[in-house]
Amino acid sequence: MDGINIRPALLSDLPVLQKFEQGVIQAERPLDPTIKKDPVHYYDLESMILDKDVAVIVAEYEDRIVASGYGMAKRARHYLDHKYYAYLGFMYTDPEFRGRGVNQKILSALKDWAISKDLTEIRLTVYEDNPGALRAYEKFGFKRHIIEMRLT
């Protein structure tokens, strides 16, 4: 989609990003019965924006924030062949802009950020029952790797 600008998030973006966070939670709640009742927050967005080791980015269209995502370095398990990896999260696209390639631009920017930090392994988590997200990530090149299981 032409006209999309990808940039780092600013503190002034917090009201929109907090709405996006609730959109993520609303989308995930039917997929995960273990999410607490409202009010729920996944992220400390202000701290993440201020953290030089975290990349919180947004996609803008005509001065309107339409998508978000973040990347952060995480320590890998001691037995893996890499010490750190890039973990991506907070992937949200305004419903009006879904299916237009905006998420691919966010992913591309986060991949570039990871490469700039010498992070060669990039991971994210997605619910198995979220076929739209699975297709988007696989289209970008992600491969299914581990399935987490739970017993209640």
Side-chain angles (χ1 to χ4, degrees):
M1 175 176 190
D2 290 333
I4 293 291
N5 177 47
I6 305 295
R7 65 165 176 81
L10 306 170
L11 288 178
S12 59
D13 299 329
L14 275 173
V16 173
L17 296 178
Q18 289 165 338
K19 286 180 185 174
F20 283 6
E21 177 187 31
Q22 292 307 305
V24 171
I25 293 166
Q26 181 181 4
E28 291 181 351
R29 191 176 294 284
L31 304 172
D32 189 341
T34 67
I35 297 173
K36 293 180 184 179
K37 293 183 192 245
D38 287 330
V40 173
H41 294 279
Y42 284 175
Y43 316 109
D44 181 348
L45 291 166
E46 182 174 348
S47 294
M48 291 170 69
I49 290 170
L50 294 172
D51 189 331
K52 65 179 179 56
D53 294 322
V54 177
V56 181
I57 61 169
V58 298
E60 282 183 319
Y61 181 74
E62 297 180 352
D63 296 322
R64 174 181 166 194
I65 298 172
V66 299
S68 63
Y70 79 75
M72 68 171 51
K74 287 195 168 187
R75 191 167 208 25
R77 293 184 177 116
H78 70 278
Y79 53 81
L80 296 177
D81 66 0
H82 51 280
K83 289 186 179 182
Y84 291 90
Y85 65 97
Y87 179 80
L88 309 186
F90 191 34
M91 308 303 290
Y92 183 82
T93 302
D94 183 304
E96 184 181 332
F97 289 83
R98 292 180 186 161
R100 298 184 184 188
V102 179
N103 189 8
Q104 299 293 306
K105 291 178 185 268
I106 292 278
L107 288 168
S108 183
L110 290 171
K111 179 181 177 184
D112 290 345
W113 169 84
I115 291 168
S116 78
K117 297 289 187 182
D118 293 322
L119 301 169
T120 57
E121 180 82 12
I122 302 173
R123 296 183 179 214
L124 54 76
T125 56
V126 60
Y127 287 99
E128 183 179 21
D129 292 335
N130 189 344
L134 285 166
R135 276 192 305 276
Y137 299 136
E138 289 174 338
K139 180 179 178 182
F140 191 78
F142 282 92
K143 305 275 187 256
R144 295 178 197 209
H145 181 61
I146 294 175
I147 295 176
E148 182 176 293
M149 301 176 74
R150 62 186 283 268
L151 178 66
T152 59

